[in-house]
Amino acid sequence: MATQDKTKTLAPGITQTQINPYAMMLQQLDMVRELTDIPAGIWEILRRPEKSLEVSIPVTKDDGSVEVFTGYRVQYSSARGPCKGGIRFHPGVTLDEVKALAGWMTWKCAVVNIPYGGGKGGVICDPTRLTHGELERLTRRFTAAIFSLIGTRRDIPAPDVNTNSEIMNWIVDTAGLLSGEAVPGIVTGKSLEMGGALGRREATGRGIMFVTLSVLQRLGLDVTKTRIAVQGFGNVGSIAAQLLSKQGAKIVGLSDVSGAYHCPRGFDIDDVLRYVAGSPGHLLAGYNGHGVEEIKSPELLTLDVDVLVPAALEAQITAGNASGIRAKVIVEGANGPTTPEADLILGERDVMIVPDILSNAGGVVCSYFEWVQNIQCYPWEEDETNQRLGQIMQRSLNEVWSLAEKREISLRTAAFVLGVERVATAARLRGIFP
Ligand code: NAD
């Protein structure tokens, strides 16, 4: 298995990443072009989103004033099935970010071979500055604005950064009112009482755990002697940390937007989770468990660990900090956390990267299970969900790993080749209308 791709250089004409996520996603795509025999016309289709919608979202604030927000829904590809992808509420949302995330969803659904295309949505807002009522009105008006695009067989949103099951419940309720019928399958990540799936909340973190354990085993490393740092302590990071710690790994670094913490003896993750549940804004700020010291946020990424799990936002590991990373393995929890330049630097240093479109796919796999249960009106037991999730993650890792070994390419390149070829095949079989 190569961590470094012999053929891999930045695509012609691109000398540095303007850290624009869409440029990053296209660079990753272009880097695998010569490894596939996808016809030029199909390749051009794959390099563009099918549809991008920008909407204005007027919201009446609690004080009676009106604020107008901007939101997006992008359908990158429906070649393999309905579009699928989360909705992000964040001040840094841009159309290019949503396009990139929708592209990554497309390749991810293909890598794990579930019958979806890729989509994504986002609203430029800071949810911490909105009251509960304002957040609900924003969500419902956004749902109405993108209602023409979404649908159980069209495009199915889910939670992403700063969105959760309550927000999904408002979406499903608003869509139901607008369509005049129950539409539980129009969104995933709902509360259980609203048709959500047992295990969905934990699924992305659980998928990361499955993949990490399997990679450690393949590398002959003992999980109980493994030190792990996790950047981001939200849905993905906190659950990955909790499940990996239950497997015996030592979680020695944690961070979120409020700060970073180091605990060489290993955090008591349940204690951290209790602290965060009761802290203002549900943040790590002020956590002072036994043996814990606060460090500067950038230091989290360069701690002396075996495994690094970036689970916050994109473009965190860059040409600026890649040479300082000491982890042997990076398991990407976030979407797009490593820039293509950082990828090259880490490859030269033999750092193995388990790419986002494989390692964080547990969430969308379980969303697929939720959608299947909604369509069939037949809920599953949690054990069944977790067992099937494990099977799909294991099968996908096996396929990517074998391809990487066979072609002497990195796991990221192998995952892209696998995913992109599957989407290209579907696009070719569909043909071009008219
Ligand atoms: P979340 O909102 O629950 O958590 C995000 C976390 O990142 C928070 O703890 C936040 O404080 C932290 N954070 C933000 N900026 C940071 C910074 N500069 N440094 C350190 N920490 C920072 O979001 P999430 O659902 O956990 O998503 C995290 C990442 O995982 C995103 O890239 C998302 O697209 C990706 N992802 C999420 C899912 C899912 O099922 N939720 C699935 C696949 C991928």
Side-chain angles (χ1 to χ4, degrees), residues 88 90 101 105 108 120 158-163 200-201 203-205 231-238 255-259 282-284 297 310-314 316 333-337 356 360-364 367:
R88 176 174 294 195
H90 194 276
L101 291 163
M105 284 306 297
K108 185 186 304 183
K120 204 81 181 189
D160 190 73
V161 173
N162 291 329
T163 57
R200 170 62 185 93
R201 194 182 66 83
T204 309
Q231 184 201 38
F233 202 68
N235 173 276
V236 178
S238 68
S255 74
D256 69 7
V257 73
S258 70
H282 302 306
L283 294 169
L284 288 168
S297 289
L313 295 172
E314 53 272 6
Q316 296 299 303
N335 288 307
D356 47 6
N360 73 25
V364 74
S367 274

Side-chain angles (χ1 to χ4, degrees), residues 107-164:
W107 322 130
K108 185 186 304 183
C109 291
V111 168
V112 292
N113 215 355
I114 55 176
Y116 283 143
K120 204 81 181 189
V123 177
I124 307 171
C125 68
D126 181 353
T128 61
R129 298 169 65 111
L130 297 173
T131 65
H132 193 253
E134 289 165 351
L135 190 62
E136 177 173 352
R137 292 193 287 283
L138 171 78
T139 304
R140 289 185 181 276
R141 184 64 190 242
F142 178 57
T143 306
I146 63 167
F147 184 63
S148 58
L149 285 195
I150 60 175
T152 306
R153 312 253 175 211
R154 237 182 258 157
D155 180 358
I156 307 125
D160 190 73
V161 173
N162 291 329
T163 57
N164 55 21

